[in-house]
mmCIF file of all heavy atoms in Angstrom:
data_model
loop_
_atom_site.group_PDB
_atom_site.id
_atom_site.type_symbol
_atom_site.label_atom_id
_atom_site.label_comp_id
_atom_site.label_asym_id
_atom_site.label_seq_id
_atom_site.Cartn_x
_atom_site.Cartn_y
_atom_site.Cartn_z
ATOM 1 N N GLY A 12 -14.560 -107.536 32.051
ATOM 2 C CA GLY A 12 -14.714 -107.305 30.613
ATOM 3 C C GLY A 12 -16.132 -106.964 30.256
ATOM 4 O O GLY A 12 -16.389 -106.141 29.364
ATOM 5 N N THR A 13 -17.121 -107.648 30.931
ATOM 6 C CA THR A 13 -18.521 -107.330 30.646
ATOM 7 C C THR A 13 -18.866 -105.894 31.005
ATOM 8 O O THR A 13 -19.567 -105.180 30.285
ATOM 9 C CB THR A 13 -19.437 -108.306 31.412
ATOM 10 O OG1 THR A 13 -19.090 -109.656 31.031
ATOM 11 C CG2 THR A 13 -20.883 -108.041 31.092
ATOM 12 N N MET A 14 -18.322 -105.387 32.097
ATOM 13 C CA MET A 14 -18.610 -104.020 32.550
ATOM 14 C C MET A 14 -17.996 -102.988 31.584
ATOM 15 O O MET A 14 -18.608 -101.969 31.275
ATOM 16 C CB MET A 14 -18.052 -103.808 33.973
ATOM 17 C CG MET A 14 -18.767 -104.667 35.030
ATOM 18 S SD MET A 14 -18.022 -104.472 36.659
ATOM 19 C CE MET A 14 -18.295 -102.771 36.938
ATOM 20 N N LEU A 15 -16.795 -103.258 31.115
ATOM 21 C CA LEU A 15 -16.162 -102.318 30.173
ATOM 22 C C LEU A 15 -16.940 -102.239 28.874
ATOM 23 O O LEU A 15 -17.102 -101.164 28.275
ATOM 24 C CB LEU A 15 -14.711 -102.741 29.911
ATOM 25 C CG LEU A 15 -13.739 -102.574 31.104
ATOM 26 C CD1 LEU A 15 -12.364 -103.142 30.750
ATOM 27 C CD2 LEU A 15 -13.628 -101.128 31.517
ATOM 28 N N CYS A 16 -17.432 -103.383 28.394
ATOM 29 C CA CYS A 16 -18.204 -103.370 27.155
ATOM 30 C C CYS A 16 -19.487 -102.562 27.296
ATOM 31 O O CYS A 16 -19.891 -101.816 26.399
ATOM 32 C CB CYS A 16 -18.522 -104.808 26.735
ATOM 33 S SG CYS A 16 -17.039 -105.707 26.178
ATOM 34 N N GLU A 17 -20.180 -102.733 28.447
ATOM 35 C CA GLU A 17 -21.418 -101.985 28.667
ATOM 36 C C GLU A 17 -21.153 -100.485 28.752
ATOM 37 O O GLU A 17 -21.924 -99.673 28.270
ATOM 38 C CB GLU A 17 -22.103 -102.490 29.948
ATOM 39 C CG GLU A 17 -22.639 -103.915 29.812
ATOM 40 C CD GLU A 17 -23.267 -104.384 31.097
ATOM 41 O OE1 GLU A 17 -23.166 -103.635 32.109
ATOM 42 O OE2 GLU A 17 -23.886 -105.452 31.094
ATOM 43 N N ASN A 18 -20.039 -100.098 29.375
ATOM 44 C CA ASN A 18 -19.705 -98.671 29.508
ATOM 45 C C ASN A 18 -19.420 -98.049 28.151
ATOM 46 O O ASN A 18 -19.856 -96.958 27.837
ATOM 47 C CB ASN A 18 -18.510 -98.525 30.443
ATOM 48 C CG ASN A 18 -18.227 -97.048 30.756
ATOM 49 O OD1 ASN A 18 -19.134 -96.225 30.680
ATOM 50 N ND2 ASN A 18 -17.001 -96.725 31.093
ATOM 51 N N ALA A 19 -18.684 -98.793 27.310
ATOM 52 C CA ALA A 19 -18.355 -98.272 25.981
ATOM 53 C C ALA A 19 -19.594 -98.124 25.110
ATOM 54 O O ALA A 19 -19.763 -97.161 24.380
ATOM 55 C CB ALA A 19 -17.327 -99.207 25.310
ATOM 56 N N SER A 20 -20.485 -99.091 25.218
ATOM 57 C CA SER A 20 -21.707 -99.011 24.396
ATOM 58 C C SER A 20 -22.622 -97.896 24.875
ATOM 59 O O SER A 20 -23.370 -97.302 24.121
ATOM 60 C CB SER A 20 -22.444 -100.363 24.426
ATOM 61 O OG SER A 20 -22.834 -100.677 25.762
ATOM 62 N N GLY A 21 -22.566 -97.527 26.150
ATOM 63 C CA GLY A 21 -23.427 -96.439 26.682
ATOM 64 C C GLY A 21 -22.969 -95.059 26.233
ATOM 65 O O GLY A 21 -23.764 -94.148 26.082
ATOM 66 N N GLN A 22 -21.666 -94.851 26.037
ATOM 67 C CA GLN A 22 -21.185 -93.506 25.645
ATOM 68 C C GLN A 22 -21.485 -93.205 24.183
ATOM 69 O O GLN A 22 -21.607 -92.086 23.782
ATOM 70 C CB GLN A 22 -19.678 -93.413 25.911
ATOM 71 C CG GLN A 22 -19.341 -93.421 27.410
ATOM 72 C CD GLN A 22 -17.849 -93.299 27.631
ATOM 73 O OE1 GLN A 22 -17.083 -93.352 26.677
ATOM 74 N NE2 GLN A 22 -17.455 -93.188 28.907
ATOM 75 N N GLY A 23 -21.570 -94.119 23.300
ATOM 76 C CA GLY A 23 -21.867 -93.873 21.883
ATOM 77 C C GLY A 23 -20.636 -93.449 21.126
ATOM 78 O O GLY A 23 -19.543 -93.299 21.669
ATOM 79 N N ALA A 24 -20.826 -93.174 19.854
ATOM 80 C CA ALA A 24 -19.713 -92.782 18.972
ATOM 81 C C ALA A 24 -19.366 -91.314 19.189
ATOM 82 O O ALA A 24 -20.220 -90.497 19.513
ATOM 83 C CB ALA A 24 -20.114 -93.026 17.516
ATOM 84 N N PRO A 25 -18.065 -90.911 19.007
ATOM 85 C CA PRO A 25 -17.658 -89.497 19.175
ATOM 86 C C PRO A 25 -18.281 -88.625 18.086
ATOM 87 O O PRO A 25 -18.591 -89.095 17.002
ATOM 88 C CB PRO A 25 -16.140 -89.559 19.057
ATOM 89 C CG PRO A 25 -15.851 -90.782 18.261
ATOM 90 C CD PRO A 25 -16.928 -91.763 18.631
ATOM 91 N N PRO A 26 -18.505 -87.320 18.357
ATOM 92 C CA PRO A 26 -19.125 -86.409 17.365
ATOM 93 C C PRO A 26 -18.237 -86.254 16.157
ATOM 94 O O PRO A 26 -17.025 -86.445 16.232
ATOM 95 C CB PRO A 26 -19.280 -85.100 18.138
ATOM 96 C CG PRO A 26 -18.235 -85.146 19.195
ATOM 97 C CD PRO A 26 -18.139 -86.599 19.589
ATOM 98 N N PRO A 27 -18.840 -85.916 15.032
ATOM 99 C CA PRO A 27 -18.051 -85.732 13.811
ATOM 100 C C PRO A 27 -17.015 -84.637 14.002
ATOM 101 O O PRO A 27 -17.273 -83.610 14.618
ATOM 102 C CB PRO A 27 -19.097 -85.347 12.757
ATOM 103 C CG PRO A 27 -20.392 -85.801 13.311
ATOM 104 C CD PRO A 27 -20.283 -85.755 14.780
ATOM 105 N N GLY A 28 -15.838 -84.859 13.446
ATOM 106 C CA GLY A 28 -14.763 -83.862 13.537
ATOM 107 C C GLY A 28 -13.977 -83.946 14.803
ATOM 108 O O GLY A 28 -13.024 -83.194 14.995
ATOM 109 N N TYR A 29 -14.426 -84.779 15.720
ATOM 110 C CA TYR A 29 -13.685 -84.910 16.967
ATOM 111 C C TYR A 29 -12.491 -85.803 16.715
ATOM 112 O O TYR A 29 -12.648 -86.940 16.292
ATOM 113 C CB TYR A 29 -14.613 -85.474 18.067
ATOM 114 C CG TYR A 29 -13.938 -85.568 19.428
ATOM 115 C CD1 TYR A 29 -13.859 -84.431 20.230
ATOM 116 C CD2 TYR A 29 -13.419 -86.777 19.877
ATOM 117 C CE1 TYR A 29 -13.277 -84.523 21.467
ATOM 118 C CE2 TYR A 29 -12.825 -86.849 21.109
ATOM 119 C CZ TYR A 29 -12.750 -85.731 21.914
ATOM 120 O OH TYR A 29 -12.151 -85.829 23.138
ATOM 121 N N GLY A 30 -11.294 -85.258 16.981
ATOM 122 C CA GLY A 30 -10.083 -86.012 16.701
ATOM 123 C C GLY A 30 -9.440 -86.539 17.939
ATOM 124 O O GLY A 30 -9.909 -86.370 19.058
ATOM 125 N N VAL A 31 -8.373 -87.129 17.687
ATOM 126 C CA VAL A 31 -7.589 -87.674 18.788
ATOM 127 C C VAL A 31 -6.940 -86.531 19.526
ATOM 128 O O VAL A 31 -6.507 -85.545 18.929
ATOM 129 C CB VAL A 31 -6.539 -88.676 18.241
ATOM 130 C CG1 VAL A 31 -5.742 -89.282 19.381
ATOM 131 C CG2 VAL A 31 -7.228 -89.750 17.444
ATOM 132 N N MET A 32 -6.872 -86.660 20.823
ATOM 133 C CA MET A 32 -6.272 -85.610 21.640
ATOM 134 C C MET A 32 -4.845 -85.363 21.179
ATOM 135 O O MET A 32 -4.059 -86.313 21.012
ATOM 136 C CB MET A 32 -6.309 -86.024 23.123
ATOM 137 C CG MET A 32 -5.773 -84.923 24.045
ATOM 138 S SD MET A 32 -5.942 -85.356 25.783
ATOM 139 C CE MET A 32 -5.007 -86.872 25.833
ATOM 140 N N GLY A 33 -4.521 -83.990 20.965
ATOM 141 C CA GLY A 33 -3.182 -83.605 20.521
ATOM 142 C C GLY A 33 -3.048 -83.503 19.032
ATOM 143 O O GLY A 33 -2.035 -83.011 18.534
ATOM 144 N N VAL A 34 -4.071 -83.965 18.295
ATOM 145 C CA VAL A 34 -4.025 -83.895 16.835
ATOM 146 C C VAL A 34 -5.126 -82.922 16.386
ATOM 147 O O VAL A 34 -6.304 -83.176 16.623
ATOM 148 C CB VAL A 34 -4.234 -85.275 16.198
ATOM 149 C CG1 VAL A 34 -4.200 -85.137 14.668
ATOM 150 C CG2 VAL A 34 -3.173 -86.248 16.677
ATOM 151 N N PRO A 35 -4.782 -81.730 15.742
ATOM 152 C CA PRO A 35 -5.819 -80.760 15.346
ATOM 153 C C PRO A 35 -6.676 -81.324 14.248
ATOM 154 O O PRO A 35 -6.226 -82.134 13.443
ATOM 155 C CB PRO A 35 -5.014 -79.551 14.874
ATOM 156 C CG PRO A 35 -3.707 -80.104 14.458
ATOM 157 C CD PRO A 35 -3.432 -81.280 15.372
ATOM 158 N N PRO A 36 -7.920 -80.889 14.224
ATOM 159 C CA PRO A 36 -8.818 -81.359 13.173
ATOM 160 C C PRO A 36 -8.407 -80.775 11.829
ATOM 161 O O PRO A 36 -7.673 -79.784 11.753
ATOM 162 C CB PRO A 36 -10.187 -80.844 13.608
ATOM 163 C CG PRO A 36 -9.871 -79.633 14.435
ATOM 164 C CD PRO A 36 -8.587 -79.953 15.145
#
Side-chain angles (χ1 to χ4, degrees):
T13 303
M14 294 176 62
L15 291 175
C16 290
E17 292 179 354
N18 187 25
S20 61
Q22 291 181 352
Y29 183 82
V31 182
M32 184 175 58
V34 179

